[in-house]
Amino acid sequence: MISYNLLFSSKEHMHPWEDIEKVIYKPVSSSDNRWQYEFFFNDGEKLIVIENGYIAEIKYLIINRLKDENINLKSS
């Protein structure tokens, strides 16, 4: 289950892994060394997670879970 709160919101959004349509992994911008994940859900919602120190630590857990769930991970 992926759960998150939007900035300045107390509403929790929750999506089971099965609700993920695809994930795109790409640079934030051409002038930025950071990367981001774009999660696309079956209900049309989209979550963008920019890689910070915490995400970098769990990056391989995310990638392995996506593989385990047969979720398409594309890089661009």
Side-chain angles (χ1 to χ4, degrees):
M1 178 79 59
I2 294 177
S3 67
Y4 60 94
N5 293 14
L6 299 175
L7 189 61
F8 305 119
S9 173
S10 60
K11 181 182 177 188
E12 185 174 24
H13 297 265
M14 295 174 50
H15 294 278
W17 287 93
E18 302 86 43
D19 285 356
I20 300 173
E21 182 180 317
K22 67 180 175 181
V23 179
I24 297 176
Y25 182 65
K26 65 182 188 179
V28 172
S29 71
S30 60
S31 62
D32 194 329
N33 289 335
R34 295 177 304 160
W35 291 75
Q36 69 183 27
Y37 296 87
E38 292 183 358
F39 290 82
F40 294 85
F41 299 101
N42 293 329
D43 64 2
E45 285 194 47
K46 178 173 136 179
L47 170 66
I48 297 175
V49 178
I50 296 178
E51 196 170 271
N52 58 18
Y54 176 72
I55 299 298
E57 285 183 25
I58 64 168
K59 173 181 175 174
Y60 294 105
L61 294 174
I62 295 169
I63 291 170
N64 287 337
R65 182 62 187 259
L66 293 171
K67 286 180 184 176
D68 290 346
E69 298 289 337
N70 293 316
I71 297 169
N72 191 15
L73 175 64
K74 296 180 180 180
S75 61
S76 67

